[in-house]
Amino acid sequence: MRAPLRSPPGAGGHHQVLFALAECVPFAIALLVLLVELTPAHFVYTGPLLVATPALAAVTMGPKGTLAAAGVAVVVSVITASHNRAWGGQQVYTNLLALFLVTVASFMTSRAARTRRENELNQVRRIATAAQDVLLRPVPARLGPVRAASMYLAAESGAQIGGDLYDAVQTRYGVRMIVGDVRGKGLPAVRAAAVVLGAFREAVHYEDDLVEVVNHCGEALRRDAVVAGAGAGGAGAVGDVDRLEGFVTAVVAQIPDSHDVEVINRGHPPPLLLRNGTVRSLMPTAPLPPLGLEEFISGPPGRTDSYPFGPGDRLLLHTDGVIEARDQEKTFFDLPEAMAAMRGHTRQAFLEGLRQALLRHTQGFLADDVAIILVDRLEDEVTPAQGVIG
């Protein structure tokens, strides 16, 4: 499940104000001409100013705005010509003819430009959708002993993918999952997310130790940072500031056939476990730094924490975009409470209810992306060889 949300208020506000002012220019010119022609200053020659209004409107307002500006210019021309009794002069008809020709040319140019922009935008959207299907593919509904579902909400208007990441894969070692959040925004964040996901998808199938899977992701992120630094004109080394700008918080979980879940947390919000109506945070026993900051690990590279995860239990992996979502009073969203309140919901109904709850809480404006994996532990299946002898 993916659903882009609107950008927070104020995002791009400066550019929006400038754009709105630019749209007012053609009508301001028409008003200026009207004032000049209806006052003793009408000796100033204003005809070329009106002719320019549809051309100016075509730059910022599109075909409809071009016709609107031309209509205003025609009305002003008729009013001023009637007021100054200039209908018998050749100049009035010449101005109207020039206005007509400029309007036609501006309309055709504006419509062609809009069509070209729409085609380019559609192409970008198709590319973004294809990239999203590769980078953030929905998790399978059935993975070994669990059933799963995922949700991604993009905070930025029109965005498909961002700096949050998730995946769930069934392997010979059990079901392995990752949810992470890249520090930063834009294309560098998308690149870091792709690097971590690529390393995870490769390592989960041949590394029997979950710690090594996580180390593989951190090493891939470090190598990519070095390559990016060298490509940007550096000497191939990454400074402390660059490292601090490119780390990834992540939680990696493994669900074997036994009734437990193994978790490695690298500076990420802890998963939530719902059991018998009670929500519990799976806090790490030894906090570890995010991926990309391995030099801050003292001693062994970490170990997994194991928690009971039996039939009927529900596990939620999420990014901080959920728990840091605020309402108008700056109150954080209460994810454990929402999870407990929807304990009887199916996975898809839970995710939809959570999405709606976030929208209500934030008035539709998320400050950060949201990535979620929801997992339900199934009842143990009884094979024919395990049948009961009555």
Side-chain angles (χ1 to χ4, degrees), residues 151-163:
M151 179 174 69
Y152 187 88
L153 303 178
E156 186 175 352
S157 177
Q160 298 283 336
I161 53 180

Side-chain angles (χ1 to χ4, degrees), residues 134-366:
V134 174
L135 186 60
L136 295 178
R137 57 197 181 197
V139 303
R142 177 69 185 265
L143 290 166
V146 301
R147 291 192 182 274
S150 60
M151 179 174 69
Y152 187 88
L153 303 178
E156 186 175 352
S157 177
Q160 298 283 336
I161 53 180
D164 285 8
L165 58 99
Y166 67 85
D167 202 3
V169 183
Q170 184 176 0
T171 72
R172 55 182 173 173
Y173 310 108
V175 178
R176 290 177 163 179
M177 302 172 292
I178 183 172
V179 170
D181 187 1
V182 182
R183 186 185 189 279
K185 300 289 184 181
L187 292 179
V190 175
R191 171 173 175 162
V195 169
V196 172
L197 281 176
F200 173 81
R201 289 167 180 169
E202 177 186 4
V204 289
H205 291 289
Y206 68 81
E207 291 288 357
D208 58 347
D209 190 349
L210 195 63
V211 174
E212 291 303 321
V213 173
V214 177
N215 292 341
H216 190 78
C217 296
E219 179 63 21
L221 190 63
R222 189 196 68 81
R223 289 196 305 266
D224 183 74
V226 171
V227 172
V238 181
D240 293 338
V241 175
D242 295 330
R243 296 295 298 276
L244 293 175
E245 288 292 332
F247 67 78
V248 178
T249 67
V251 59
V252 179
Q254 176 175 285
I255 302 175
D257 292 334
S258 58
H259 293 171
D260 56 14
V261 56
E262 300 170 3
V263 178
I264 298 179
N265 195 322
R266 297 293 297 268
H268 198 76
L272 299 179
L273 178 65
L274 174 64
R275 167 178 290 175
N276 299 326
T278 301
V279 179
R280 171 193 175 194
S281 294
L282 304 185
M283 301 296 297
T285 56
L288 294 172
L291 300 174
L293 300 179
E294 282 74 19
E295 61 266 33
F296 295 103
I297 297 179
S298 58
R303 62 180 181 85
T304 60
D305 293 318
S306 184
Y307 309 90
F309 185 54
D313 292 348
R314 171 167 285 181
L315 182 67
L316 180 68
L317 283 67
H318 61 91
T319 55
D320 58 7
V322 185
I323 57 177
E324 293 183 359
R326 303 189 188 191
D327 59 12
Q328 294 181 343
E329 284 73 35
K330 305 300 181 182
T331 303
F332 290 109
F333 182 77
D334 194 336
L335 180 57
E337 179 181 348
M339 189 175 182
M342 295 186 289
R343 57 184 177 273
H345 290 45
T346 64
R347 289 170 300 283
Q348 292 298 337
F350 174 87
L351 293 179
E352 177 59 24
L354 181 60
R355 186 185 72 86
Q356 294 179 3
L358 280 171
L359 284 171
R360 289 192 301 269
H361 187 77
T362 62
Q363 301 296 314
F365 297 105
L366 283 180

Side-chain angles (χ1 to χ4, degrees), residues 116-136:
R116 183 175 62 256
R117 287 195 299 268
E118 290 177 351
N119 291 337
E120 292 174 350
L121 180 60
N122 289 334
Q123 183 179 7
V124 170
R125 286 173 175 167
R126 287 193 297 269
I127 295 174
T129 300
Q132 183 184 36
D133 291 338
V134 174
L135 186 60
L136 295 178

Side-chain angles (χ1 to χ4, degrees), residues 7-24 60 156:
S7 298
H14 180 67
H15 296 288
Q16 292 177 359
V17 171
L18 292 178
F19 192 79
L21 291 176
E23 289 181 337
C24 295
T60 57
E156 186 175 352

